[in-house]
């Protein structure tokens, strides 16, 4: 799992690439929680390059969102591929995560 | 006639990707479209995760086996472990997903959703334990137009 | 660290295709181009054919197992059977191919070429027997640029 | 393995489709030998749709060629895909089988 981090006007943007599955959970959870900890709590997760996610991967997104919420922030998702989108819809977490197809709109939401 | 292949890994999370790759190759024989194959892969990964995490308590050094049974009409996956058995009522309990509430993080938990995901991805899901071998089997019909 | 998956079929010719499909999926992890994957598949199929045909004398009901071992630098296939062992000199004898003569059909035979095909497709090929388990192992290097 | 047979001016043309491997050998051998038996012994094997062949499949081609030769005929190969071509070159059987990329030329050879 490759993780790329940049910041735009106080908003953290993290792109993940690879499979987000149980084997990657400890490392990804730790890195995302550290970013939320050190940042504003406003986080865009760009999942364009995540081709597959399981429920343990999804649990990382949830715990990172909880940490962001504790700082009055929010986690939004960008560029879901169809497989990942269908997992999120299956578990009805589109009620929690706002999902965007372009970065500008995602940034506008968090501003 | 049924053709069967059995895939075996050690109970380490990083080996589950090998099961997925082999499954993708095998699903070529089902004639199913890519989106369907992805759902089957998801069901298998959830079941393998559960074997590693719950049956073996996260301990490596134990076998996780996936059997792939194929006929022209149907294919069936069986995920086997020799660890702690599941209370089979867990499978009946696992249902559809309630709506999480954006304003209440306690409703967001996605633990306890693996079995529900499996049930939503496959036609028939069953769990049996015999002589210390636990088997979660899941199957789905193939359109008769599909080659196998 | 090495990741391993082991693929097991019954010694029936029609199950060998399942090994090929699984291998194709697994070779995605090697980063090798399709033409190279096809050569590896050929080597594996020849070895599995030999297990079915020679080790088990064409009899079904016996296990043929292919282990797939992957590190970032190398991958290795081991084809295992519990049938009649091969005289390991066969492997040394199997060499490059003589030129068949168009006008002499006796030189066209391609029996006895399975092992030579295997040797030509893989870097290192070895055969060992131990406690009734026969293992033909074959491996090849992966470019360091390839992900695994 | 799917086998399609037609005849053009006394020359048999058989197209195979699928994997030509040990599981298919008994059936394919029998059908091709029957075609050579009943025909002129001049046979074009169109392998365009054969994606994979192993040495047992190759042994079928050789035994069919021997049967054709016994009738003073010949077997030629048409439309090899790269994998099959490389197996034939590896075993040097391109010295025995003429290989063509179009049917007209293959027909001209056997006329
Ligand atoms: N293979 C298994 N072996 C033993 N127990 C299991 C197995 N799979 C599931 N369980 C039990 O069923 C419960 C529900 O499983 P699941 O729906 O996959 O959710 P989760 O894994 O997120 O807890 C688990 O918490 C565990 O107690
Ligand atoms: N797995 C095996 N178990 C036992 N004997 C084998 C095995 N593989 C090969 N042999 C022996 O080695 C010989 C050469 O094998 P091979 O080069 O594959 O040619 P072929 O299978 O066409 O005879 C076989 O005829 C057989 O006697």
């Amino acid at each position: 799992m490759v993780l790329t981090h940049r910041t735009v006007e106080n908003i953290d943007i993290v792109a993940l690439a690879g499979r987000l599955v149980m084997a990657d959970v400890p490392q990804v959870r730790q890195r995302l929680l550290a970013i939320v900890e050190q940042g504003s709590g406003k986080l865009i997760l760009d999942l364009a390059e995540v081709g597959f996610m399981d429920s343990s991967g999804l649990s990382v997104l949830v715990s990172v969102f909880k940490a962001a919420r504790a700082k009055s922030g929010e986690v939004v998702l960008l560029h879901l591929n169809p497989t990942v989108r269908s997992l999120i819809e299956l578990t009805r977490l589109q009620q929690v995560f706002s999902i965007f197809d372009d970065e500008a709109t995602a940034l506008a939401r968090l501003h | 006639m049924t053709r069967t292949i059995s895939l075996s890994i050690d109970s380490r999370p990083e080996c589950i990707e090998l099961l997925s790759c082999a499954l993708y190759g095998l699903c070529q024989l089902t004639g199913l479209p890519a989106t369907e194959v992805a759902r089957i892969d998801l069901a298998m990964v959830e079941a393998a995760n559960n074997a590693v995490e719950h049956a073996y308590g996260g301990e490596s050094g134990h076998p996780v086996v996936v059997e792939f049974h194929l006929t022209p009409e149907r294919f069936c996956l069986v995920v086997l472990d020799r660890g702690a058995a599941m209370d089979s009522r867990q499978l009946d309990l696992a249902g559809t997903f309630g709506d999480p509430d954006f304003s209440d993080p306690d409703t967001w938990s996605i633990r306890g959703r693996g079995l529900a995901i499996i049930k939503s991805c496959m036609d028939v899901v069953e769990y049996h334990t015999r002589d210390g071998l636990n088997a979660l089997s899941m199957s789905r019909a193939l359109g008769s137009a599909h080659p196998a």
Side-chain angles (χ1 to χ4, degrees), chain A, chain B:
Chain A
M1 187 103 239
V2 180
L3 189 153
T4 321
H5 178 209
R6 65 200 163 91
T7 307
V8 175
E9 297 170 18
N10 232 18
I11 296 171
D12 291 299
I13 304 178
V14 173
L16 299 176
R19 291 165 64 86
L20 182 48
V21 292
M22 197 163 72
D24 307 285
V25 160
Q27 178 219 351
V28 174
R29 187 197 308 269
Q30 192 191 349
R31 293 189 60 186
L32 290 178
L33 288 177
I35 287 166
V36 167
E37 186 89 358
Q38 284 147 32
S40 63
K42 295 178 176 181
L43 173 63
I44 297 174
L45 276 180
D46 184 342
L47 303 180
E49 300 298 322
V50 174
F52 184 84
M53 193 192 295
D54 65 12
S55 69
S56 72
L58 211 45
S59 75
V60 171
L61 306 195
V62 169
S63 48
V64 173
F65 196 167
K66 286 183 179 172
R69 176 63 67 90
K71 295 182 75 163
S72 305
E74 181 175 357
V75 176
V76 305
L77 307 182
L78 185 62
H79 299 142
L80 301 189
N81 95 355
T83 307
V84 172
R85 182 181 289 267
S86 82
L87 175 65
I88 285 176
E89 287 172 359
L90 187 66
T91 54
R92 308 192 67 73
L93 285 168
Q94 79 278 26
Q95 318 249 9
V96 173
F97 291 99
S98 295
I99 298 170
F100 297 96
D101 288 325
D102 70 296
E103 191 177 292
T105 322
L107 282 167
R109 156 77 176 228
L110 294 183
H111 262 310
Chain B
M1 191 170 187
T2 307
R3 293 190 290 172
T4 296
I5 186 168
S6 144
L7 317 172
S8 176
I9 58 163
D10 188 88
S11 54
R12 288 191 281 138
E14 66 269 31
C15 291
I16 292 171
E17 186 181 13
L18 302 177
L19 292 174
S20 285
C21 289
L23 182 71
Y24 265 92
L26 289 164
C27 279
Q28 302 266 313
L29 296 170
T30 64
L32 291 170
T35 50
E36 287 303 297
V37 173
R39 290 170 69 83
I40 291 163
D41 184 27
L42 179 59
M44 186 201 65
V45 167
E46 293 293 337
N49 284 352
N50 281 349
V52 169
E53 194 180 3
H54 299 304
Y56 295 125
E59 209 175 86
S60 63
H62 304 284
V64 176
V65 176
V66 178
E67 287 174 2
F68 180 96
H69 302 275
L70 184 68
T71 70
E73 299 80 34
R74 205 161 187 82
F75 91 100
C76 174
L77 289 177
V78 186
V79 178
L80 299 148
D81 70 71
R82 295 197 161 276
M86 173 170 80
D87 181 337
S88 62
R89 278 169 303 182
Q90 292 278 6
L91 192 56
D92 304 325
L93 289 173
T96 50
F97 298 98
D99 274 329
D101 177 353
F102 181 77
S103 61
D104 178 5
D106 287 344
T107 67
W108 303 353
S109 167
I110 61 97
R111 303 308 297 169
R113 293 194 179 173
L115 291 172
I117 290 172
I118 293 169
K119 282 168 77 171
S120 77
C121 291
M122 303 293 275
D123 290 346
V124 182
V125 183
E126 290 172 355
Y127 185 84
H128 297 287
T129 291
R130 192 162 154 180
D131 298 332
L133 187 65
N134 309 312
L136 183 76
S137 71
M138 37 198 171
S139 70
R140 51 167 293 166
L142 298 172
S144 54
H146 296 125

